[in-house]
Amino acid sequence: MAMTDVLSAEDIKKAVGAFSAAESFNYKKFFEMVGLKKKSAEDVKKVFHILDKDRSGFIEEEELKFVLKGFTPEGRDLSDKETKALLAAGDKDGDGKIGADEFATLVAES
Protein backbone atom coordinates (compact mmCIF):
# COMPACT_ATOMS: atom_id res chain seq x y z
CA MET A 1 0.00 0.00 0.00
CA ALA A 2 1.22 3.50 -0.85
CA MET A 3 0.66 6.65 1.17
CA THR A 4 -1.26 8.07 -1.81
CA ASP A 5 -3.82 5.26 -1.40
CA VAL A 6 -4.85 6.97 1.84
CA LEU A 7 -3.87 10.64 1.43
CA SER A 8 -3.92 13.04 -1.50
CA ALA A 9 -0.60 13.40 -3.34
CA GLU A 10 -1.14 17.16 -3.47
CA ASP A 11 -1.68 17.41 0.31
CA ILE A 12 1.41 15.27 0.94
CA LYS A 13 3.55 17.46 -1.32
CA LYS A 14 2.31 20.67 0.35
CA ALA A 15 2.74 19.37 3.89
CA VAL A 16 6.22 17.92 3.33
CA GLY A 17 7.26 21.10 1.50
CA ALA A 18 6.08 23.28 4.39
CA PHE A 19 8.60 21.59 6.69
CA SER A 20 11.54 21.33 4.29
CA ALA A 21 13.72 23.63 6.41
CA ALA A 22 15.80 22.01 9.15
CA GLU A 23 14.28 22.20 12.64
CA SER A 24 10.91 23.33 11.24
CA PHE A 25 8.93 20.10 11.74
CA ASN A 26 5.72 20.44 13.74
CA TYR A 27 3.80 17.17 13.85
CA LYS A 28 0.50 18.83 14.77
CA LYS A 29 0.55 21.14 11.76
CA PHE A 30 1.93 18.37 9.54
CA PHE A 31 -0.83 15.86 10.37
CA GLU A 32 -3.43 18.56 9.77
CA MET A 33 -1.91 19.75 6.45
CA VAL A 34 -1.44 16.23 5.11
CA GLY A 35 -5.13 15.52 5.82
CA LEU A 36 -4.51 12.75 8.34
CA LYS A 37 -6.52 14.44 11.07
CA LYS A 38 -9.71 14.17 8.98
CA LYS A 39 -9.21 10.48 8.20
CA SER A 40 -10.98 7.53 9.79
CA ALA A 41 -9.32 5.46 12.52
CA GLU A 42 -8.85 2.72 9.91
CA ASP A 43 -7.00 5.09 7.55
CA VAL A 44 -4.80 6.37 10.39
CA LYS A 45 -3.87 2.73 11.12
CA LYS A 46 -3.02 2.21 7.43
CA VAL A 47 -0.64 5.18 7.58
CA PHE A 48 0.90 3.77 10.76
CA HIS A 49 1.59 0.45 9.04
CA ILE A 50 3.21 2.23 6.07
CA LEU A 51 5.51 4.13 8.46
CA ASP A 52 6.33 0.94 10.41
CA LYS A 53 8.99 -0.08 7.89
CA ASP A 54 10.28 -3.14 9.79
CA ARG A 55 6.72 -4.37 10.50
CA SER A 56 7.47 -4.68 14.22
CA GLY A 57 4.12 -3.19 15.21
CA PHE A 58 5.90 -0.08 16.46
CA ILE A 59 7.49 3.01 15.00
CA GLU A 60 10.89 3.20 16.65
CA GLU A 61 13.16 6.25 16.87
CA GLU A 62 15.15 5.17 13.80
CA GLU A 63 11.93 4.97 11.74
CA LEU A 64 10.71 8.33 13.05
CA LYS A 65 13.82 10.01 11.67
CA PHE A 66 12.55 9.12 8.17
CA VAL A 67 8.87 9.86 8.81
CA LEU A 68 8.66 12.52 6.07
CA LYS A 69 10.24 10.12 3.58
CA GLY A 70 7.48 7.69 4.55
CA PHE A 71 5.02 10.15 3.05
CA THR A 72 7.11 10.96 -0.04
CA PRO A 73 10.66 10.10 -1.17
CA GLU A 74 11.31 13.86 -1.54
CA GLY A 75 10.90 14.36 2.22
CA ARG A 76 13.92 15.23 4.34
CA ASP A 77 15.23 13.35 7.36
CA LEU A 78 14.21 14.79 10.70
CA SER A 79 16.99 16.11 12.91
CA ASP A 80 17.80 14.23 16.12
CA LYS A 81 16.06 17.00 18.07
CA GLU A 82 12.89 16.77 15.93
CA THR A 83 12.92 12.97 16.11
CA LYS A 84 13.21 12.98 19.91
CA ALA A 85 10.44 15.58 20.22
CA LEU A 86 8.12 13.49 18.02
CA LEU A 87 8.94 10.35 20.00
CA ALA A 88 8.35 12.15 23.31
CA ALA A 89 4.97 13.42 22.07
CA GLY A 90 3.84 10.01 20.81
CA ASP A 91 5.34 7.57 23.31
CA LYS A 92 2.65 7.62 26.00
CA ASP A 93 3.81 4.50 27.88
CA GLY A 94 7.51 5.40 27.92
CA ASP A 95 8.76 2.25 26.15
CA GLY A 96 10.82 4.22 23.60
CA LYS A 97 8.59 3.53 20.60
CA ILE A 98 5.17 4.45 19.24
CA GLY A 99 2.50 1.76 18.88
CA ALA A 100 -0.58 1.94 16.64
CA ASP A 101 -2.85 3.21 19.44
CA GLU A 102 -0.25 5.80 20.49
CA PHE A 103 0.02 6.95 16.87
CA ALA A 104 -3.77 7.31 16.62
CA THR A 105 -3.75 9.37 19.84
CA LEU A 106 -0.89 11.51 18.53
CA VAL A 107 -2.87 12.27 15.33
CA ALA A 108 -6.08 12.94 17.27
CA GLU A 109 -4.29 15.38 19.60
CA SER A 110 -2.89 17.41 16.72
Side-chain angles (χ1 to χ4, degrees):
M1 175 173 290
M3 202 58 84
T4 51
D5 292 339
V6 183
L7 302 168
S8 124
E10 192 177 306
D11 288 347
I12 291 171
K13 188 175 179 178
K14 261 193 260 179
V16 170
F19 300 103
S20 61
E23 303 299 339
S24 68
F25 185 69
N26 176 315
Y27 73 90
K28 291 181 179 184
K29 286 183 186 163
F30 180 79
F31 289 151
E32 195 169 316
M33 287 180 75
V34 84
L36 195 54
K37 196 152 172 50
K38 292 181 253 161
K39 293 293 179 183
S40 68
E42 187 180 316
D43 282 343
V44 171
K45 267 202 166 84
K46 286 178 188 171
V47 168
F48 171 84
H49 290 298
I50 294 168
L51 296 174
D52 177 20
K53 298 287 186 210
D54 67 2
R55 307 246 182 273
S56 65
F58 296 95
I59 302 174
E60 291 88 0
E61 189 170 341
E62 193 54 37
E63 290 168 316
L64 282 177
K65 186 178 191 78
F66 307 113
V67 75
L68 293 179
K69 282 192 171 122
F71 284 87
T72 177
E74 290 79 48
R76 69 175 175 87
D77 295 349
L78 296 185
S79 69
D80 288 344
K81 183 177 170 187
E82 290 170 315
T83 303
K84 288 186 188 321
L86 182 54
L87 181 62
D91 180 18
K92 302 296 183 202
D93 62 9
D95 63 357
K97 53 196 176 196
I98 298 175
D101 291 342
E102 289 172 317
F103 184 74
T105 301
L106 185 67
V107 170
E109 287 175 348
S110 58

